[in-house]
Amino acid sequence: MLIAHRVALDPNNVQATYLARAAGTARFAYNWALAEWKRQYEAWQADNSLPKPSQEALRRQLNAVKREQFPWMLEVTKCAPQMAIIQLGQAFQNFFAGRARYPSFRKKGVHDRFTLTNDQFSLDGCRIRIPNLGWVRMRETLRLTGKILSATISRVADKWFVSIAVDTPDSSHLAQAENQGEVGVDLGVSALATLSTGEMVPGPKAHKALLDRLRKLSKSLSRKVKGSANRRKAKAKLAKLHARIAAIRTDAMHKLTTDLTRRFHTIGIEDLNVRGMMANRHLARSIADMSFFEFRRQLEYKAAMRGGQVVVADRFYASSKTCSACGHKLETLPLSVRKWTCPGCGVIHDRDVNAAINLKNMAVSSTVSACGEEGSGLRPKTKMKPASVKQEVSFVPV
Ligand SMILES: [Zn+2]
């Protein structure tokens, strides 16, 4: 399984300057190659005897001219321009396969990054060695074992990180899940998650105050004169705050998915129809906040590492509207209704706990029927889609 471990770097000033220059070189090479690609493609359309553009040819082309035209490129690792053009090739592959839009030019200050192949760096405990630069301190050691494939060094606001991609042997380096059986998880609007056990996992605490500050800062930014030093400063401040909020969310999400996969071997979740929900403006924000896809991605790879499984309900499965006690299905249940009484059996339900219990039952019955036994008659009849246990690449070096 391909996974990546992201670690903060502690570069000194000289090193930070080098990292910025390497990222700048990568961006320049990417943009140069993209412009060349367009030009060569148009030339090929006009005259089919000319070669079609390719990342291999563009890399050769850049190598042939860089000494003369871009001598400053030689000051940083040769991986920076080379890997950027390989990534452009991947971006075009994704475009041709219909998975992504046409590649666009990289912008300065937006996801600045460069990638090193595994023969171009080495790790030693809490440090990483980068060509032409030497050792840079990492905040922690690499926690994964397996074959190291690449390292991508990137900047978020004013901080540098390295993301090390590792091909790990399957479910061998994490302890198996504790045997707490199955669980259903309802990702919520009010709480981060509600479990079928009745536990509520609140969202990260620091969050709300920071969101208020975010609103204030973006307002103050909009009042600053364009091009002024004050605007630049306010922008940097805002970027820092965004990064901090994202880090808090990521941390909360990792804690939740680690805890779940550590305790339960089978986890039932919903397959949210995110497109449909985004149409609902009230929900859009919270769904984006919860980043449901990230939740599912983490659950799936962490469960696979512990030998567990994730069962995803059919996207039309009404986990909220169905009574988990008798199976009675409501016609409607507005989002504002947090508690309801089942007209079928009289049980009083907490909306989220009920949904989580249904998801748990769904997961249980799907694993039972997968073994060829019959599920209990009370369980909701729904089409189940087992979690893809395929070797998912949870890290894409683009
Ligand atoms: Zn009922």
Side-chain angles (χ1 to χ4, degrees), residues 175-222:
Q176 294 288 302
E178 277 173 39
N179 203 0
Q180 290 195 29
E182 303 85 358
V183 73
V185 185
D186 180 64
L187 276 198
V189 178
S190 44
L192 177 57
T194 304
L195 313 190
S196 54
T197 56
E199 288 165 75
M200 302 245 181
V201 182
K205 266 194 189 137
H207 213 201
K208 188 149 183 338
L210 288 180
L211 285 181
D212 288 343
R213 251 186 78 198
L214 187 68
R215 241 184 314 271
K216 266 185 214 144
L217 264 182
S218 21
K219 224 184 225 167
S220 105
L221 175 68
S222 66

Short mmCIF file of all heavy atoms in Angstrom, two decimals, residues 175-222:
data_model
loop_
_atom_site.label_atom_id
_atom_site.label_comp_id
_atom_site.label_asym_id
_atom_site.label_seq_id
_atom_site.Cartn_x
_atom_site.Cartn_y
_atom_site.Cartn_z
N ALA A 175 -0.90 -2.82 14.89
CA ALA A 175 -1.54 -3.87 15.66
C ALA A 175 -2.94 -4.11 15.09
O ALA A 175 -3.58 -3.19 14.60
CB ALA A 175 -1.63 -3.44 17.11
N GLN A 176 -3.40 -5.34 15.15
CA GLN A 176 -4.75 -5.65 14.68
C GLN A 176 -5.76 -4.86 15.52
O GLN A 176 -5.47 -4.45 16.63
CB GLN A 176 -5.03 -7.15 14.86
CG GLN A 176 -4.16 -8.03 13.97
CD GLN A 176 -4.56 -7.94 12.51
OE1 GLN A 176 -5.69 -8.22 12.16
NE2 GLN A 176 -3.64 -7.50 11.66
N ALA A 177 -6.96 -4.68 14.94
CA ALA A 177 -7.99 -3.96 15.67
C ALA A 177 -8.36 -4.73 16.93
O ALA A 177 -8.37 -5.95 16.95
CB ALA A 177 -9.22 -3.80 14.79
N GLU A 178 -8.65 -4.00 18.00
CA GLU A 178 -9.16 -4.63 19.22
C GLU A 178 -10.49 -5.26 18.86
O GLU A 178 -11.16 -4.79 17.95
CB GLU A 178 -9.49 -3.55 20.26
CG GLU A 178 -8.36 -3.06 21.06
CD GLU A 178 -8.82 -1.87 21.91
OE1 GLU A 178 -9.96 -1.92 22.42
OE2 GLU A 178 -8.05 -0.93 22.03
N ASN A 179 -10.88 -6.26 19.62
CA ASN A 179 -12.12 -6.88 19.20
C ASN A 179 -13.33 -6.24 19.84
O ASN A 179 -13.99 -6.81 20.69
CB ASN A 179 -12.10 -8.39 19.46
CG ASN A 179 -13.10 -9.06 18.55
OD1 ASN A 179 -13.77 -8.40 17.77
ND2 ASN A 179 -13.19 -10.36 18.67
N GLN A 180 -13.64 -5.02 19.43
CA GLN A 180 -14.87 -4.40 19.92
C GLN A 180 -15.97 -4.54 18.88
O GLN A 180 -16.96 -3.82 18.93
CB GLN A 180 -14.63 -2.93 20.25
CG GLN A 180 -13.76 -2.75 21.49
CD GLN A 180 -13.83 -1.33 22.01
OE1 GLN A 180 -14.81 -0.63 21.86
NE2 GLN A 180 -12.75 -0.90 22.65
N GLY A 181 -15.76 -5.42 17.92
CA GLY A 181 -16.82 -5.72 16.97
C GLY A 181 -17.06 -4.63 15.95
O GLY A 181 -16.14 -4.00 15.47
N GLU A 182 -18.36 -4.42 15.69
CA GLU A 182 -18.73 -3.51 14.62
C GLU A 182 -19.21 -2.18 15.19
O GLU A 182 -19.71 -2.12 16.31
CB GLU A 182 -19.86 -4.11 13.77
CG GLU A 182 -19.53 -5.46 13.16
CD GLU A 182 -19.83 -6.62 14.12
OE1 GLU A 182 -20.26 -6.35 15.28
OE2 GLU A 182 -19.62 -7.77 13.73
N VAL A 183 -19.09 -1.16 14.37
CA VAL A 183 -19.57 0.15 14.79
C VAL A 183 -20.14 0.86 13.57
O VAL A 183 -19.71 0.61 12.44
CB VAL A 183 -18.43 0.97 15.44
CG1 VAL A 183 -17.42 1.45 14.40
CG2 VAL A 183 -19.00 2.17 16.20
N GLY A 184 -21.13 1.70 13.82
CA GLY A 184 -21.63 2.58 12.76
C GLY A 184 -21.24 4.00 13.11
O GLY A 184 -21.24 4.37 14.28
N VAL A 185 -20.86 4.78 12.12
CA VAL A 185 -20.43 6.14 12.38
C VAL A 185 -21.22 7.11 11.53
O VAL A 185 -21.30 6.96 10.31
CB VAL A 185 -18.93 6.32 12.06
CG1 VAL A 185 -18.46 7.71 12.46
CG2 VAL A 185 -18.10 5.26 12.75
N ASP A 186 -21.83 8.08 12.20
CA ASP A 186 -22.59 9.10 11.49
C ASP A 186 -21.81 10.41 11.61
O ASP A 186 -21.62 10.91 12.71
CB ASP A 186 -23.98 9.25 12.12
CG ASP A 186 -24.80 10.30 11.41
OD1 ASP A 186 -25.10 10.10 10.23
OD2 ASP A 186 -25.15 11.31 12.05
N LEU A 187 -21.33 10.91 10.49
CA LEU A 187 -20.62 12.19 10.52
C LEU A 187 -21.66 13.28 10.62
O LEU A 187 -22.61 13.30 9.85
CB LEU A 187 -19.80 12.40 9.25
CG LEU A 187 -18.43 11.77 9.21
CD1 LEU A 187 -17.62 12.41 8.11
CD2 LEU A 187 -17.69 11.85 10.52
N GLY A 188 -21.46 14.16 11.58
CA GLY A 188 -22.58 15.05 11.88
C GLY A 188 -22.38 16.50 11.58
O GLY A 188 -21.35 16.92 11.08
N VAL A 189 -23.43 17.22 11.88
CA VAL A 189 -23.40 18.65 11.70
C VAL A 189 -23.04 19.29 13.03
O VAL A 189 -22.21 20.17 13.12
CB VAL A 189 -24.77 19.15 11.20
CG1 VAL A 189 -24.78 20.65 11.06
CG2 VAL A 189 -25.10 18.49 9.87
N SER A 190 -23.65 18.77 14.10
CA SER A 190 -23.39 19.37 15.41
C SER A 190 -22.12 18.79 16.05
O SER A 190 -21.31 19.52 16.59
CB SER A 190 -24.58 19.16 16.34
OG SER A 190 -25.06 17.84 16.22
N ALA A 191 -21.95 17.45 15.97
CA ALA A 191 -20.73 16.84 16.49
C ALA A 191 -19.90 16.39 15.30
O ALA A 191 -20.40 16.27 14.19
CB ALA A 191 -21.08 15.64 17.37
N LEU A 192 -18.61 16.15 15.54
CA LEU A 192 -17.78 15.65 14.45
C LEU A 192 -18.30 14.29 14.00
O LEU A 192 -18.43 14.02 12.82
CB LEU A 192 -16.31 15.55 14.91
CG LEU A 192 -15.30 14.99 13.92
CD1 LEU A 192 -15.28 15.79 12.62
CD2 LEU A 192 -13.90 14.98 14.52
N ALA A 193 -18.59 13.44 14.99
CA ALA A 193 -19.11 12.12 14.65
C ALA A 193 -19.93 11.57 15.80
O ALA A 193 -19.71 11.92 16.96
CB ALA A 193 -17.96 11.17 14.35
N THR A 194 -20.91 10.72 15.47
CA THR A 194 -21.69 10.02 16.48
C THR A 194 -21.54 8.53 16.18
O THR A 194 -21.68 8.11 15.04
CB THR A 194 -23.17 10.42 16.39
OG1 THR A 194 -23.25 11.85 16.53
CG2 THR A 194 -23.98 9.77 17.50
N LEU A 195 -21.23 7.75 17.24
CA LEU A 195 -21.04 6.32 17.05
C LEU A 195 -22.30 5.58 17.46
O LEU A 195 -23.10 6.07 18.26
CB LEU A 195 -19.86 5.80 17.89
CG LEU A 195 -18.56 6.59 17.83
CD1 LEU A 195 -17.44 5.81 18.51
CD2 LEU A 195 -18.17 6.93 16.40
N SER A 196 -22.45 4.36 16.95
CA SER A 196 -23.62 3.56 17.31
C SER A 196 -23.59 3.15 18.78
O SER A 196 -24.58 2.72 19.34
CB SER A 196 -23.69 2.32 16.41
OG SER A 196 -22.48 1.60 16.46
N THR A 197 -22.45 3.32 19.44
CA THR A 197 -22.35 3.03 20.87
C THR A 197 -22.97 4.16 21.68
O THR A 197 -23.07 4.07 22.90
CB THR A 197 -20.88 2.92 21.29
OG1 THR A 197 -20.23 4.14 20.91
CG2 THR A 197 -20.17 1.76 20.63
N GLY A 198 -23.33 5.26 21.01
CA GLY A 198 -23.88 6.41 21.72
C GLY A 198 -22.84 7.48 21.99
O GLY A 198 -23.17 8.58 22.40
N GLU A 199 -21.57 7.16 21.75
CA GLU A 199 -20.52 8.15 21.96
C GLU A 199 -20.64 9.28 20.95
O GLU A 199 -20.91 9.03 19.78
CB GLU A 199 -19.13 7.52 21.76
CG GLU A 199 -18.69 6.59 22.85
CD GLU A 199 -17.50 5.77 22.39
OE1 GLU A 199 -16.40 6.32 22.33
OE2 GLU A 199 -17.68 4.57 22.07
N MET A 200 -20.38 10.50 21.43
CA MET A 200 -20.32 11.64 20.52
C MET A 200 -18.89 12.14 20.52
O MET A 200 -18.31 12.35 21.58
CB MET A 200 -21.21 12.77 21.04
CG MET A 200 -22.64 12.35 21.20
SD MET A 200 -23.66 13.25 20.08
CE MET A 200 -25.27 12.61 20.50
N VAL A 201 -18.37 12.34 19.35
CA VAL A 201 -17.03 12.90 19.24
C VAL A 201 -17.19 14.36 18.83
O VAL A 201 -17.59 14.65 17.72
CB VAL A 201 -16.20 12.14 18.18
CG1 VAL A 201 -14.79 12.69 18.11
CG2 VAL A 201 -16.21 10.65 18.48
N PRO A 202 -16.90 15.28 19.77
CA PRO A 202 -17.08 16.70 19.43
C PRO A 202 -16.01 17.14 18.44
O PRO A 202 -14.96 16.52 18.33
CB PRO A 202 -16.92 17.41 20.77
CG PRO A 202 -16.10 16.49 21.60
CD PRO A 202 -16.35 15.09 21.12
N GLY A 203 -16.27 18.21 17.74
CA GLY A 203 -15.27 18.76 16.83
C GLY A 203 -14.13 19.36 17.64
O GLY A 203 -14.24 19.49 18.85
N PRO A 204 -13.03 19.72 16.98
CA PRO A 204 -11.91 20.32 17.70
C PRO A 204 -12.34 21.62 18.39
O PRO A 204 -13.09 22.41 17.83
CB PRO A 204 -10.88 20.58 16.61
CG PRO A 204 -11.60 20.44 15.32
CD PRO A 204 -12.77 19.56 15.57
N LYS A 205 -11.84 21.82 19.61
CA LYS A 205 -12.31 22.91 20.45
C LYS A 205 -11.85 24.29 20.00
O LYS A 205 -12.64 25.21 19.90
CB LYS A 205 -11.85 22.69 21.89
CG LYS A 205 -12.89 21.98 22.71
CD LYS A 205 -12.55 22.08 24.17
CE LYS A 205 -13.49 21.18 24.96
NZ LYS A 205 -12.81 20.43 26.00
N ALA A 206 -10.56 24.39 19.73
CA ALA A 206 -9.96 25.69 19.42
C ALA A 206 -10.62 26.32 18.21
O ALA A 206 -10.51 27.50 17.94
CB ALA A 206 -8.48 25.52 19.16
N HIS A 207 -11.34 25.51 17.51
CA HIS A 207 -11.87 25.80 16.23
C HIS A 207 -12.71 27.07 16.12
O HIS A 207 -12.45 27.91 15.29
CB HIS A 207 -12.73 24.60 15.86
CG HIS A 207 -12.71 24.35 14.42
ND1 HIS A 207 -13.68 23.63 13.81
CD2 HIS A 207 -11.86 24.72 13.47
CE1 HIS A 207 -13.41 23.57 12.54
NE2 HIS A 207 -12.30 24.22 12.31
N LYS A 208 -13.68 27.17 17.00
CA LYS A 208 -14.66 28.24 16.84
C LYS A 208 -14.03 29.62 16.96
O LYS A 208 -14.29 30.51 16.15
CB LYS A 208 -15.80 28.06 17.85
CG LYS A 208 -16.88 29.03 17.55
CD LYS A 208 -18.27 28.64 17.88
CE LYS A 208 -19.23 29.72 17.45
NZ LYS A 208 -18.69 31.07 17.27
N ALA A 209 -13.19 29.78 17.98
CA ALA A 209 -12.52 31.07 18.18
C ALA A 209 -11.68 31.42 16.96
O ALA A 209 -11.65 32.57 16.51
CB ALA A 209 -11.63 31.00 19.42
N LEU A 210 -11.02 30.41 16.40
CA LEU A 210 -10.17 30.66 15.24
C LEU A 210 -11.01 31.05 14.03
O LEU A 210 -10.61 31.90 13.24
CB LEU A 210 -9.32 29.43 14.91
CG LEU A 210 -8.19 29.12 15.89
CD1 LEU A 210 -7.44 27.88 15.46
CD2 LEU A 210 -7.23 30.30 15.98
N LEU A 211 -12.17 30.42 13.90
CA LEU A 211 -13.05 30.75 12.78
C LEU A 211 -13.52 32.20 12.88
O LEU A 211 -13.62 32.90 11.88
CB LEU A 211 -14.24 29.81 12.72
CG LEU A 211 -13.95 28.40 12.20
CD1 LEU A 211 -15.21 27.57 12.18
CD2 LEU A 211 -13.32 28.45 10.83
N ASP A 212 -13.79 32.65 14.12
CA ASP A 212 -14.17 34.05 14.30
C ASP A 212 -13.05 34.97 13.87
O ASP A 212 -13.26 35.98 13.21
CB ASP A 212 -14.53 34.31 15.78
CG ASP A 212 -15.85 33.65 16.15
OD1 ASP A 212 -16.60 33.31 15.21
OD2 ASP A 212 -16.12 33.48 17.34
N ARG A 213 -11.83 34.61 14.28
CA ARG A 213 -10.67 35.42 13.91
C ARG A 213 -10.49 35.44 12.40
O ARG A 213 -10.13 36.45 11.81
CB ARG A 213 -9.40 34.84 14.55
CG ARG A 213 -8.86 35.71 15.67
CD ARG A 213 -7.56 35.18 16.18
NE ARG A 213 -6.44 35.51 15.32
CZ ARG A 213 -5.27 34.89 15.36
NH1 ARG A 213 -5.08 33.91 16.21
NH2 ARG A 213 -4.29 35.25 14.58
N LEU A 214 -10.77 34.28 11.79
CA LEU A 214 -10.64 34.16 10.34
C LEU A 214 -11.57 35.15 9.64
O LEU A 214 -11.18 35.84 8.71
CB LEU A 214 -10.99 32.73 9.93
CG LEU A 214 -10.77 32.35 8.47
CD1 LEU A 214 -9.29 32.32 8.16
CD2 LEU A 214 -11.38 30.99 8.18
N ARG A 215 -12.80 35.22 10.16
CA ARG A 215 -13.77 36.13 9.55
C ARG A 215 -13.29 37.58 9.67
O ARG A 215 -13.35 38.34 8.71
CB ARG A 215 -15.13 35.96 10.25
CG ARG A 215 -16.23 35.50 9.29
CD ARG A 215 -17.57 35.42 9.97
NE ARG A 215 -17.52 34.76 11.26
CZ ARG A 215 -17.67 33.44 11.45
NH1 ARG A 215 -17.88 32.66 10.44
NH2 ARG A 215 -17.62 32.91 12.64
N LYS A 216 -12.79 37.92 10.87
CA LYS A 216 -12.32 39.29 11.08
C LYS A 216 -11.15 39.61 10.16
O LYS A 216 -11.09 40.68 9.55
CB LYS A 216 -11.87 39.45 12.55
CG LYS A 216 -13.00 40.00 13.41
CD LYS A 216 -12.50 40.28 14.81
CE LYS A 216 -13.60 40.02 15.82
NZ LYS A 216 -13.13 39.44 17.08
N LEU A 217 -10.20 38.67 10.10
CA LEU A 217 -9.00 38.91 9.29
C LEU A 217 -9.34 39.09 7.82
O LEU A 217 -8.79 39.95 7.15
CB LEU A 217 -8.02 37.75 9.45
CG LEU A 217 -6.90 37.92 10.47
CD1 LEU A 217 -6.00 36.70 10.47
CD2 LEU A 217 -6.09 39.18 10.17
N SER A 218 -10.25 38.25 7.32
CA SER A 218 -10.54 38.37 5.89
C SER A 218 -11.28 39.67 5.61
O SER A 218 -11.12 40.25 4.54
CB SER A 218 -11.31 37.16 5.35
OG SER A 218 -11.95 36.47 6.35
N LYS A 219 -12.05 40.14 6.57
CA LYS A 219 -12.72 41.42 6.41
C LYS A 219 -11.67 42.53 6.36
O LYS A 219 -11.71 43.41 5.51
CB LYS A 219 -13.65 41.66 7.60
CG LYS A 219 -15.01 42.19 7.16
CD LYS A 219 -15.85 42.51 8.38
CE LYS A 219 -17.26 42.00 8.24
NZ LYS A 219 -17.97 42.03 9.52
N SER A 220 -10.71 42.46 7.28
CA SER A 220 -9.70 43.52 7.35
C SER A 220 -8.83 43.49 6.08
O SER A 220 -8.40 44.53 5.60
CB SER A 220 -8.86 43.38 8.62
OG SER A 220 -7.60 42.88 8.35
N LEU A 221 -8.62 42.30 5.54
CA LEU A 221 -7.83 42.19 4.30
C LEU A 221 -8.54 42.91 3.15
O LEU A 221 -7.92 43.64 2.38
CB LEU A 221 -7.61 40.73 3.94
CG LEU A 221 -6.89 40.48 2.61
CD1 LEU A 221 -5.44 40.93 2.69
CD2 LEU A 221 -6.95 39.01 2.22
N SER A 222 -9.85 42.74 3.10
CA SER A 222 -10.59 43.31 1.98
C SER A 222 -10.59 44.84 2.03
O SER A 222 -10.84 45.50 1.03
CB SER A 222 -12.03 42.78 1.98
OG SER A 222 -12.70 43.25 3.12
#
